[in-house]
Amino acid sequence: DAGVIQSPRHEVTEMGQEVTLRCKPISGHDYLFWYRQTMMRGLELLIYFNNNVPIDDSGMPEDRFSAKMPNASFSTLKIQPSEPRDSAVYFCASSELAGGGELFFGEGSRLTVL
Amino acid sequence: GENVEQHPSTLSVQEGDSAVIKCTYSDSASNYFPWYKQELGKRPQLIIDIRSNVGEKKDQRIAVTLNKTAKHFSLHITETQPEDSAVYFCASRWGANNLFFGTGTRLTVIP
């Protein structure tokens, strides 16, 4: 397996634009997580899915953020409209089990909002 | 929810010396404690983990200790090498829930 695949790796956009980040988890993993990483706040969980169903979205900052998982092999994180404070590295991760299962991270998507 | 605190935020050691990073957690039900290493510009990767029925676990130069009574766990790296330089994150979890990460420790090993 190629691991967790994220795209794009880098995104530079202007404030107010819509941003869509994509993730393909490892085949067979039932859990998918979206994290945001900044210097100030470290690794923050935004949302996670189990069998394509959102389980906990309490970390989603505000209504500008939304995430979907239409099938077991694909998830998106959308920011609309984007703001400069959304600039961060967004990681997608997957695991076989949420409890006690190793988290496999993608390479991350570095977002810069001007 | 769980609160994980990690110290120190930065750590510099001479090559060959040991490095220790400490974490505390708040939820006594937490039973899984992994450590992730993130090299500059790379993804976090699991290096070692420990479960609540074990007090210590070792893998070559890396060891993790857990004190459930005090609710703290530590990462120990012996004979540090320049390639150990990275950011290390501790985390905790109970049951089938999310991993709660510490804020990270930037370790620099000086050759």
Side-chain angles (χ1 to χ4, degrees), chain A residues 38-114:
Chain A
T38 60
M39 288 292 292
M40 293 298 294
R41 301 173 70 91
L43 271 168
E44 301 175 275
L45 176 74
L46 301 177
I47 186 171
Y48 80 93
F49 296 83
N50 176 214
N51 291 324
N52 315 337
V53 176
I55 302 301
D56 184 354
D57 66 353
S58 58
M60 296 286 262
E62 46 200 272
D63 292 346
R64 298 184 297 105
F65 285 69
S66 62
K68 294 181 180 180
M69 192 165 186
N71 57 62
S73 59
F74 183 66
S75 177
T76 59
L77 177 67
K78 187 172 292 188
I79 309 172
Q80 166 63 15
S82 58
E83 297 181 2
R85 60 192 168 121
D86 301 331
S87 298
V89 179
Y90 291 81
F91 284 101
C92 175
S94 70
S95 73
E96 290 183 289
L97 298 169
E102 177 180 353
L103 228 56
F104 291 86
F105 284 83
E107 298 273 16
S109 294
R110 180 175 295 277
L111 173 65
T112 302
V113 183
L114 303 175

